[in-house]
Amino acid sequence: VFKARWANPLAAQGVNAIANAGLLAPGNTPGRIDLFNSNNTMEIKGDTVVANLPFYGERRIGVSYNPRDTGITFNEEPKDFEIIFDEKNQSYTMNFMVNNGTENYNISGIFFPDRSGRVFINSTQRQAIGFTGQLIPTEEE
């Protein structure tokens, strides 16, 4: 399970406008938003990937009228899933694609021995966003 601690949106015009209006919580910047008290995770469960991550940034296409459907959420089987160990850096990289029925996501991540990591998400409908966090053991582990 990857637990996101920080969201790292692209500091584009919309996010900068929110910051300039003073609407970001203290300690946050347009490029780094604290997710401390939130349940923001991406988990591999068997042959599916389950994600519930927030989204900060600009959407290119709006497909939902549901105000609760604003984050990056899916529970799907990934395509082209791969995990590669980099012996030189002692890190793992992960890459896959997923479609939640309305949106395609390209997801990549890098994870280190101390369980820290970064996940990067590119979407067909949104600006790219990154997340910094930790791998946490599941109950089975």
Side-chain angles (χ1 to χ4, degrees):
V1 177
F2 173 75
K3 170 86 169 140
R5 173 68 172 87
W6 297 94
N8 307 107
L10 290 178
Q13 183 178 358
V15 178
N16 284 332
I18 290 170
N20 291 338
L23 298 174
L24 289 178
N28 292 330
T29 66
R32 185 173 168 142
I33 298 172
D34 188 352
L35 304 175
F36 180 71
N37 288 325
S38 304
N39 186 23
N40 303 297
T41 60
M42 186 172 66
E43 179 177 1
I44 299 171
K45 289 184 173 183
D47 61 352
T48 62
V49 179
V50 180
N52 182 22
L53 297 165
F55 178 72
Y56 300 93
E58 297 176 7
R59 279 191 92 144
R60 295 183 200 100
I61 300 172
V63 295
S64 174
Y65 292 105
N66 182 351
R68 290 185 235 163
D69 188 23
T70 59
I72 297 170
T73 59
F74 53 82
N75 184 352
E76 304 293 333
E77 186 173 339
K79 293 184 172 85
D80 300 330
F81 185 88
E82 67 178 359
I83 295 179
I84 301 167
F85 180 67
D86 181 343
E87 196 161 326
K88 179 181 176 188
N89 294 325
Q90 295 295 297
S91 63
Y92 288 89
T93 57
M94 172 187 71
N95 297 293
F96 64 91
M97 294 182 288
V98 69
N99 180 305
N100 70 355
T102 58
E103 195 168 356
N104 293 313
Y105 299 102
N106 260 337
I107 299 167
S108 61
I110 184 165
F111 305 99
F112 300 98
D114 66 354
R115 294 186 178 234
S116 67
R118 289 203 44 140
V119 170
F120 306 95
I121 300 177
N122 288 304
S123 163
T124 54
Q125 299 179 8
R126 310 167 195 238
Q127 284 183 317
I129 187 168
F131 297 93
T132 305
Q134 292 287 127
L135 290 174
I136 56 174
T138 60
E139 291 180 15
E140 299 93 43
E141 294 177 303

